[in-house]
PDB file of all heavy atoms in Angstrom:
ATOM      1  N   VAL I  77      15.309 -63.466 175.219  1.00 98.00           N
ATOM      2  CA  VAL I  77      15.280 -64.682 176.040  1.00 98.00           C
ATOM      3  C   VAL I  77      16.400 -65.612 175.561  1.00 98.00           C
ATOM      4  O   VAL I  77      16.708 -65.660 174.365  1.00 98.00           O
ATOM      5  CB  VAL I  77      13.891 -65.359 175.931  1.00 98.00           C
ATOM      6  CG1 VAL I  77      13.902 -66.755 176.546  1.00 98.00           C
ATOM      7  CG2 VAL I  77      12.831 -64.483 176.591  1.00 98.00           C
ATOM      8  N   HIS I  78      17.002 -66.321 176.519  1.00 98.00           N
ATOM      9  CA  HIS I  78      18.129 -67.202 176.194  1.00 98.00           C
ATOM     10  C   HIS I  78      17.789 -68.142 175.029  1.00 98.00           C
ATOM     11  O   HIS I  78      16.702 -68.725 174.997  1.00 98.00           O
ATOM     12  CB  HIS I  78      18.510 -68.034 177.428  1.00 98.00           C
ATOM     13  CG  HIS I  78      19.820 -68.737 177.273  1.00 98.00           C
ATOM     14  ND1 HIS I  78      19.956 -69.875 176.525  1.00 98.00           N
ATOM     15  CD2 HIS I  78      21.061 -68.424 177.741  1.00 98.00           C
ATOM     16  CE1 HIS I  78      21.235 -70.264 176.551  1.00 98.00           C
ATOM     17  NE2 HIS I  78      21.913 -69.401 177.280  1.00 98.00           N
ATOM     18  N   PRO I  79      18.723 -68.300 174.089  1.00 98.00           N
ATOM     19  CA  PRO I  79      18.451 -69.146 172.913  1.00 98.00           C
ATOM     20  C   PRO I  79      17.991 -70.561 173.257  1.00 98.00           C
ATOM     21  O   PRO I  79      17.165 -71.127 172.535  1.00 98.00           O
ATOM     22  CB  PRO I  79      19.795 -69.178 172.174  1.00 98.00           C
ATOM     23  CG  PRO I  79      20.510 -67.941 172.611  1.00 98.00           C
ATOM     24  CD  PRO I  79      20.032 -67.643 174.012  1.00 98.00           C
ATOM     25  N   ASN I  80      18.501 -71.140 174.349  1.00 98.00           N
ATOM     26  CA  ASN I  80      18.076 -72.497 174.704  1.00 98.00           C
ATOM     27  C   ASN I  80      16.606 -72.533 175.109  1.00 98.00           C
ATOM     28  O   ASN I  80      15.886 -73.485 174.790  1.00 98.00           O
ATOM     29  CB  ASN I  80      18.927 -73.060 175.849  1.00 98.00           C
ATOM     30  CG  ASN I  80      20.320 -73.458 175.390  1.00 98.00           C
ATOM     31  OD1 ASN I  80      20.581 -73.544 174.199  1.00 98.00           O
ATOM     32  ND2 ASN I  80      21.207 -73.669 176.338  1.00 98.00           N
ATOM     33  N   LEU I  81      16.171 -71.509 175.824  1.00 98.00           N
ATOM     34  CA  LEU I  81      14.762 -71.454 176.231  1.00 98.00           C
ATOM     35  C   LEU I  81      13.883 -71.160 175.011  1.00 98.00           C
ATOM     36  O   LEU I  81      12.799 -71.734 174.860  1.00 98.00           O
ATOM     37  CB  LEU I  81      14.568 -70.405 177.335  1.00 98.00           C
ATOM     38  CG  LEU I  81      13.187 -70.302 177.962  1.00 98.00           C
ATOM     39  CD1 LEU I  81      12.663 -71.654 178.421  1.00 98.00           C
ATOM     40  CD2 LEU I  81      13.211 -69.324 179.138  1.00 98.00           C
ATOM     41  N   GLN I  82      14.364 -70.294 174.140  1.00 98.00           N
ATOM     42  CA  GLN I  82      13.628 -70.035 172.893  1.00 98.00           C
ATOM     43  C   GLN I  82      13.455 -71.329 172.096  1.00 98.00           C
ATOM     44  O   GLN I  82      12.386 -71.602 171.551  1.00 98.00           O
ATOM     45  CB  GLN I  82      14.388 -69.033 172.014  1.00 98.00           C
ATOM     46  CG  GLN I  82      14.334 -67.612 172.515  1.00 98.00           C
ATOM     47  CD  GLN I  82      14.568 -66.610 171.386  1.00 98.00           C
ATOM     48  OE1 GLN I  82      14.193 -66.841 170.240  1.00 98.00           O
ATOM     49  NE2 GLN I  82      15.204 -65.498 171.722  1.00 98.00           N
ATOM     50  N   ILE I  84      13.383 -74.427 173.208  1.00 98.00           N
ATOM     51  CA  ILE I  84      12.395 -75.302 173.842  1.00 98.00           C
ATOM     52  C   ILE I  84      10.982 -74.852 173.466  1.00 98.00           C
ATOM     53  O   ILE I  84      10.144 -75.651 173.043  1.00 98.00           O
ATOM     54  CB  ILE I  84      12.566 -75.293 175.384  1.00 98.00           C
ATOM     55  CG1 ILE I  84      13.899 -75.940 175.784  1.00 98.00           C
ATOM     56  CG2 ILE I  84      11.396 -76.024 176.057  1.00 98.00           C
ATOM     57  CD1 ILE I  84      14.277 -75.703 177.256  1.00 98.00           C
ATOM     58  N   ASN I 134      14.618 -64.303 187.440  1.00 97.00           N
ATOM     59  CA  ASN I 134      15.213 -64.951 186.268  1.00 97.00           C
ATOM     60  C   ASN I 134      14.656 -64.385 184.961  1.00 97.00           C
ATOM     61  O   ASN I 134      15.138 -64.733 183.891  1.00 97.00           O
ATOM     62  CB  ASN I 134      15.011 -66.463 186.337  1.00 97.00           C
ATOM     63  CG  ASN I 134      15.968 -67.095 187.333  1.00 97.00           C
ATOM     64  OD1 ASN I 134      17.120 -66.681 187.451  1.00 97.00           O
ATOM     65  ND2 ASN I 134      15.496 -68.091 188.076  1.00 97.00           N
ATOM     66  N   LYS I 138      20.556 -61.906 182.735  1.00 97.00           N
ATOM     67  CA  LYS I 138      21.680 -62.501 183.455  1.00 97.00           C
ATOM     68  C   LYS I 138      22.967 -61.894 182.892  1.00 97.00           C
ATOM     69  O   LYS I 138      22.926 -61.158 181.898  1.00 97.00           O
ATOM     70  CB  LYS I 138      21.685 -64.018 183.218  1.00 97.00           C
ATOM     71  CG  LYS I 138      20.457 -64.733 183.745  1.00 97.00           C
ATOM     72  CD  LYS I 138      20.582 -64.965 185.221  1.00 97.00           C
ATOM     73  CE  LYS I 138      19.387 -65.775 185.718  1.00 97.00           C
ATOM     74  NZ  LYS I 138      19.376 -65.854 187.178  1.00 97.00           N
ATOM     75  N   ASP I 140      24.924 -63.128 180.989  1.00 97.00           N
ATOM     76  CA  ASP I 140      25.030 -63.471 179.563  1.00 97.00           C
ATOM     77  C   ASP I 140      24.163 -62.562 178.676  1.00 97.00           C
ATOM     78  O   ASP I 140      24.161 -62.685 177.460  1.00 97.00           O
ATOM     79  CB  ASP I 140      24.690 -64.953 179.317  1.00 97.00           C
ATOM     80  CG  ASP I 140      23.238 -65.309 179.657  1.00 97.00           C
ATOM     81  OD1 ASP I 140      22.405 -64.388 179.821  1.00 97.00           O
ATOM     82  OD2 ASP I 140      22.938 -66.516 179.762  1.00 97.00           O
ATOM     83  N   PHE I 142      20.871 -62.385 178.621  1.00 98.00           N
ATOM     84  CA  PHE I 142      19.551 -62.929 178.298  1.00 98.00           C
ATOM     85  C   PHE I 142      18.687 -63.114 179.539  1.00 98.00           C
ATOM     86  O   PHE I 142      19.204 -63.407 180.623  1.00 98.00           O
ATOM     87  CB  PHE I 142      19.683 -64.299 177.622  1.00 98.00           C
ATOM     88  CG  PHE I 142      20.378 -64.264 176.294  1.00 98.00           C
ATOM     89  CD1 PHE I 142      21.647 -64.809 176.150  1.00 98.00           C
ATOM     90  CD2 PHE I 142      19.757 -63.707 175.174  1.00 98.00           C
ATOM     91  CE1 PHE I 142      22.293 -64.793 174.909  1.00 98.00           C
ATOM     92  CE2 PHE I 142      20.393 -63.685 173.943  1.00 98.00           C
ATOM     93  CZ  PHE I 142      21.664 -64.227 173.811  1.00 98.00           C
ATOM     94  N   GLY I 143      17.377 -63.006 179.362  1.00 98.00           N
ATOM     95  CA  GLY I 143      16.447 -63.463 180.372  1.00 98.00           C
ATOM     96  C   GLY I 143      16.366 -64.977 180.317  1.00 98.00           C
ATOM     97  O   GLY I 143      16.487 -65.564 179.238  1.00 98.00           O
ATOM     98  N   HIS I 144      16.173 -65.610 181.485  1.00 98.00           N
ATOM     99  CA  HIS I 144      16.154 -67.076 181.526  1.00 98.00           C
ATOM    100  C   HIS I 144      14.776 -67.626 181.868  1.00 98.00           C
ATOM    101  O   HIS I 144      14.662 -68.777 182.293  1.00 98.00           O
ATOM    102  CB  HIS I 144      17.193 -67.585 182.526  1.00 98.00           C
ATOM    103  CG  HIS I 144      18.598 -67.492 182.026  1.00 98.00           C
ATOM    104  ND1 HIS I 144      19.586 -68.356 182.391  1.00 98.00           N
ATOM    105  CD2 HIS I 144      19.179 -66.620 181.155  1.00 98.00           C
ATOM    106  CE1 HIS I 144      20.722 -68.033 181.787  1.00 98.00           C
ATOM    107  NE2 HIS I 144      20.501 -66.977 181.037  1.00 98.00           N
ATOM    108  N   ALA I 145      13.731 -66.812 181.743  1.00 98.00           N
ATOM    109  CA  ALA I 145      12.389 -67.257 182.118  1.00 98.00           C
ATOM    110  C   ALA I 145      11.340 -66.697 181.159  1.00 98.00           C
ATOM    111  O   ALA I 145      11.530 -65.639 180.559  1.00 98.00           O
ATOM    112  CB  ALA I 145      12.071 -66.811 183.546  1.00 98.00           C
ATOM    113  N   VAL I 146      10.250 -67.452 181.036  1.00 98.00           N
ATOM    114  CA  VAL I 146       9.082 -66.979 180.280  1.00 98.00           C
ATOM    115  C   VAL I 146       7.818 -67.297 181.080  1.00 98.00           C
ATOM    116  O   VAL I 146       7.797 -68.223 181.891  1.00 98.00           O
ATOM    117  CB  VAL I 146       8.958 -67.646 178.886  1.00 98.00           C
ATOM    118  CG1 VAL I 146      10.069 -67.197 177.954  1.00 98.00           C
ATOM    119  CG2 VAL I 146       8.903 -69.164 178.977  1.00 98.00           C
ATOM    120  N   ALA I 178      12.023 -80.381 176.445  1.00 98.00           N
ATOM    121  CA  ALA I 178      13.321 -79.958 176.982  1.00 98.00           C
ATOM    122  C   ALA I 178      14.246 -81.168 177.132  1.00 98.00           C
ATOM    123  O   ALA I 178      15.418 -81.121 176.734  1.00 98.00           O
ATOM    124  CB  ALA I 178      13.129 -79.251 178.329  1.00 98.00           C
ATOM    125  N   LEU I 183      18.049 -80.310 177.492  1.00 98.00           N
ATOM    126  CA  LEU I 183      18.046 -79.053 178.240  1.00 98.00           C
ATOM    127  C   LEU I 183      17.196 -79.252 179.493  1.00 98.00           C
ATOM    128  O   LEU I 183      16.301 -80.081 179.506  1.00 98.00           O
ATOM    129  CB  LEU I 183      17.480 -77.921 177.379  1.00 98.00           C
ATOM    130  CG  LEU I 183      18.310 -77.591 176.127  1.00 98.00           C
ATOM    131  CD1 LEU I 183      17.534 -76.680 175.195  1.00 98.00           C
ATOM    132  CD2 LEU I 183      19.638 -76.952 176.518  1.00 98.00           C
ATOM    133  N   GLU I 184      17.495 -78.470 180.525  1.00 97.00           N
ATOM    134  CA  GLU I 184      16.754 -78.609 181.779  1.00 97.00           C
ATOM    135  C   GLU I 184      15.900 -77.379 182.031  1.00 97.00           C
ATOM    136  O   GLU I 184      16.368 -76.249 181.902  1.00 97.00           O
ATOM    137  CB  GLU I 184      17.721 -78.811 182.945  1.00 97.00           C
ATOM    138  CG  GLU I 184      18.342 -80.199 182.934  1.00 97.00           C
ATOM    139  CD  GLU I 184      18.948 -80.527 184.274  1.00 97.00           C
ATOM    140  OE1 GLU I 184      18.212 -81.011 185.159  1.00 97.00           O
ATOM    141  OE2 GLU I 184      20.150 -80.279 184.449  1.00 97.00           O
ATOM    142  N   ILE I 185      14.660 -77.623 182.411  1.00 98.00           N
ATOM    143  CA  ILE I 185      13.732 -76.533 182.644  1.00 98.00           C
ATOM    144  C   ILE I 185      12.999 -76.761 183.958  1.00 98.00           C
ATOM    145  O   ILE I 185      12.748 -77.907 184.350  1.00 98.00           O
ATOM    146  CB  ILE I 185      12.753 -76.417 181.442  1.00 98.00           C
ATOM    147  CG1 ILE I 185      12.088 -75.048 181.431  1.00 98.00           C
ATOM    148  CG2 ILE I 185      11.732 -77.547 181.419  1.00 98.00           C
ATOM    149  CD1 ILE I 185      11.513 -74.681 180.074  1.00 98.00           C
ATOM    150  N   SER I 186      12.682 -75.673 184.647  1.00 98.00           N
ATOM    151  CA  SER I 186      11.860 -75.751 185.852  1.00 98.00           C
ATOM    152  C   SER I 186      10.512 -75.118 185.564  1.00 98.00           C
ATOM    153  O   SER I 186      10.443 -74.072 184.908  1.00 98.00           O
ATOM    154  CB  SER I 186      12.497 -74.960 187.008  1.00 98.00           C
ATOM    155  OG  SER I 186      13.598 -75.641 187.511  1.00 98.00           O
ATOM    156  N   TRP I 191       6.530 -75.665 192.051  1.00 94.00           N
ATOM    157  CA  TRP I 191       7.130 -75.036 193.233  1.00 94.00           C
ATOM    158  C   TRP I 191       6.136 -74.976 194.381  1.00 94.00           C
ATOM    159  O   TRP I 191       4.968 -74.659 194.191  1.00 94.00           O
ATOM    160  CB  TRP I 191       7.596 -73.617 192.907  1.00 94.00           C
ATOM    161  CG  TRP I 191       8.657 -73.562 191.853  1.00 94.00           C
ATOM    162  CD1 TRP I 191       9.398 -74.598 191.354  1.00 94.00           C
ATOM    163  CD2 TRP I 191       9.085 -72.392 191.126  1.00 94.00           C
ATOM    164  NE1 TRP I 191      10.258 -74.138 190.383  1.00 94.00           N
ATOM    165  CE2 TRP I 191      10.084 -72.809 190.226  1.00 94.00           C
ATOM    166  CE3 TRP I 191       8.720 -71.047 191.182  1.00 94.00           C
ATOM    167  CZ2 TRP I 191      10.727 -71.914 189.365  1.00 94.00           C
ATOM    168  CZ3 TRP I 191       9.353 -70.160 190.331  1.00 94.00           C
ATOM    169  CH2 TRP I 191      10.350 -70.586 189.440  1.00 94.00           C
ATOM    170  N   HIS I 199       4.871 -69.920 184.815  1.00 97.00           N
ATOM    171  CA  HIS I 199       6.305 -69.612 184.744  1.00 97.00           C
ATOM    172  C   HIS I 199       7.171 -70.839 184.415  1.00 97.00           C
ATOM    173  O   HIS I 199       7.034 -71.894 185.032  1.00 97.00           O
ATOM    174  CB  HIS I 199       6.729 -69.033 186.098  1.00 97.00           C
ATOM    175  CG  HIS I 199       8.156 -68.638 186.203  1.00 97.00           C
ATOM    176  ND1 HIS I 199       8.596 -67.348 186.013  1.00 97.00           N
ATOM    177  CD2 HIS I 199       9.262 -69.366 186.493  1.00 97.00           C
ATOM    178  CE1 HIS I 199       9.905 -67.301 186.176  1.00 97.00           C
ATOM    179  NE2 HIS I 199      10.337 -68.521 186.472  1.00 97.00           N
ATOM    180  N   PHE I 200       8.080 -70.638 183.468  1.00 98.00           N
ATOM    181  CA  PHE I 200       9.068 -71.659 183.094  1.00 98.00           C
ATOM    182  C   PHE I 200      10.438 -70.996 183.070  1.00 98.00           C
ATOM    183  O   PHE I 200      10.565 -69.875 182.576  1.00 98.00           O
ATOM    184  CB  PHE I 200       8.782 -72.215 181.698  1.00 98.00           C
ATOM    185  CG  PHE I 200       7.492 -72.976 181.605  1.00 98.00           C
ATOM    186  CD1 PHE I 200       6.278 -72.306 181.432  1.00 98.00           C
ATOM    187  CD2 PHE I 200       7.475 -74.364 181.691  1.00 98.00           C
ATOM    188  CE1 PHE I 200       5.080 -73.011 181.351  1.00 98.00           C
ATOM    189  CE2 PHE I 200       6.282 -75.078 181.602  1.00 98.00           C
ATOM    190  CZ  PHE I 200       5.084 -74.403 181.435  1.00 98.00           C
ATOM    191  N   GLU I 201      11.460 -71.695 183.584  1.00 98.00           N
ATOM    192  CA  GLU I 201      12.801 -71.106 183.507  1.00 98.00           C
ATOM    193  C   GLU I 201      13.866 -72.167 183.286  1.00 98.00           C
ATOM    194  O   GLU I 201      13.684 -73.332 183.647  1.00 98.00           O
ATOM    195  CB  GLU I 201      13.110 -70.295 184.774  1.00 98.00           C
ATOM    196  CG  GLU I 201      13.154 -71.116 186.041  1.00 98.00           C
ATOM    197  CD  GLU I 201      13.439 -70.258 187.287  1.00 98.00           C
ATOM    198  OE1 GLU I 201      12.869 -69.164 187.397  1.00 98.00           O
ATOM    199  OE2 GLU I 201      14.230 -70.717 188.119  1.00 98.00           O
ATOM    200  N   LEU I 202      14.979 -71.747 182.700  1.00 97.00           N
ATOM    201  CA  LEU I 202      16.105 -72.646 182.501  1.00 97.00           C
ATOM    202  C   LEU I 202      16.702 -72.976 183.854  1.00 97.00           C
ATOM    203  O   LEU I 202      16.712 -72.153 184.759  1.00 97.00           O
ATOM    204  CB  LEU I 202      17.182 -71.980 181.631  1.00 97.00           C
ATOM    205  CG  LEU I 202      16.846 -71.792 180.155  1.00 97.00           C
ATOM    206  CD1 LEU I 202      18.004 -71.068 179.464  1.00 97.00           C
ATOM    207  CD2 LEU I 202      16.561 -73.119 179.467  1.00 97.00           C
ATOM    208  N   ARG I 203      17.216 -74.212 183.961  1.00 93.00           N
ATOM    209  CA  ARG I 203      17.866 -74.602 185.204  1.00 93.00           C
ATOM    210  C   ARG I 203      19.360 -74.628 185.018  1.00 93.00           C
ATOM    211  O   ARG I 203      19.823 -74.897 183.931  1.00 93.00           O
ATOM    212  CB  ARG I 203      17.374 -75.969 185.629  1.00 93.00           C
ATOM    213  CG  ARG I 203      16.931 -75.925 187.029  1.00 93.00           C
ATOM    214  CD  ARG I 203      16.574 -77.232 187.707  1.00 93.00           C
ATOM    215  NE  ARG I 203      16.458 -78.415 186.906  1.00 93.00           N
ATOM    216  CZ  ARG I 203      15.473 -79.312 187.035  1.00 93.00           C
ATOM    217  NH1 ARG I 203      14.504 -79.075 187.882  1.00 93.00           N
ATOM    218  NH2 ARG I 203      15.457 -80.405 186.324  1.00 93.00           N
TER     219      ARG I 203
END
Side-chain angles (χ1 to χ4, degrees):
V77 169
H78 192 283
N80 286 347
L81 185 51
Q82 286 204 33
I84 293 168
N134 284 323
K138 297 280 184 188
D140 64 15
F142 296 110
H144 285 211
V146 291
L183 296 168
E184 287 197 86
I185 198 160
S186 286
W191 298 347
H199 181 97
F200 294 82
E201 64 181 42
L202 289 178
R203 231 188 349 224

